Amino acid sequence: MISFLSKKITYFIISTSNTSPDSDQIEVYIYGLECFLNTGFTICILFIWGLFTNTIPETICWIVAFSVLRHHVGGLHAHTQLSCILSSCLMGCNWMVIAYIPYQSTIALLICAICIVTFMLYAPLDTPKYKLTHSMAKKEKLYSILIILIEFLICIVLKNKLSVSILYSDICVYILFVIRKLITSPFFNTK
């Protein structure tokens, strides 16, 4: 569905702009629009969920914290756009279960420490489509650690449901990271 929409919109824009991009450019436009629509649908669904559950601030906090850290760390990616939207929404909506757990600084420190050690050792993960240079990987590793530290400081200051939302986003990113790391490890990858 998203691919179909992306192609239709791309070809409509091209036809109304009186330009004639080559096929490689068209593929880039389609892919970019697919990414935009995929993210847009996910955010809209989560926002509607936040409206229904009266958790807009926590939902927005989860989306931002999750997206920023995930961008720099990497991790498991879904094989289809639909499974990406569904899994992202499932993670984002499951935060409601976690929301009933009261904030505890000890747990926040533990989550922060586990993430920092893991990301220092293994982050960021390359994707099949995009390989990082050594200097880029060092920057992404530094960014991911700084993000975790900033989020931890925010959690210590707030000590409320927003803190729990941030911590849950870190756990989600961590789980996707570890799964991808395990799947691509020589132990599981017998090719």
Side-chain angles (χ1 to χ4, degrees), residues 17-138:
S17 67
N18 293 326
T19 60
S20 52
D22 62 35
S23 62
D24 287 343
Q25 286 176 314
I26 293 171
E27 289 302 314
V28 170
Y29 297 153
I30 292 170
Y31 178 73
L33 199 51
E34 285 175 358
C35 293
F36 177 78
L37 290 173
N38 192 357
T39 303
F41 284 142
T42 303
I43 290 172
C44 286
I45 292 167
L46 288 172
F47 189 77
I48 291 167
W49 175 257
L51 280 173
F52 280 124
T53 59
N54 200 26
T55 59
I56 291 291
E58 294 88 350
T59 302
I60 291 171
C61 189
W62 182 86
I63 292 169
V64 170
F66 177 85
S67 300
V68 170
L69 183 60
R70 177 132 162 89
H71 174 75
H72 294 287
V73 171
L76 186 66
H77 287 276
H79 293 292
T80 67
Q81 294 156 345
L82 180 61
S83 61
C84 177
I85 292 171
L86 292 175
S87 61
S88 296
C89 289
L90 185 63
M91 282 186 290
C93 293
N94 274 342
W95 117 258
M96 286 302 296
V97 175
I98 306 298
Y100 293 104
I101 299 172
Y103 172 81
Q104 294 180 4
S105 296
T106 309
I107 293 175
L109 179 63
L110 181 64
I111 291 169
C112 178
I114 290 170
C115 287
I116 286 177
V117 169
T118 304
F119 297 156
M120 281 179 80
L121 292 173
Y122 303 110
L125 294 176
D126 281 328
T127 64
K129 293 182 182 179
Y130 188 69
K131 299 290 183 200
L132 297 171
T133 65
H134 180 69
S135 64
M136 290 166 59
K138 283 174 68 174

Side-chain angles (χ1 to χ4, degrees), residues 181-191:
K181 185 68 179 166
L182 289 173
I183 288 172
T184 58
S185 73
F187 180 73
F188 286 100
N189 195 359
T190 57
K191 291 180 183 176

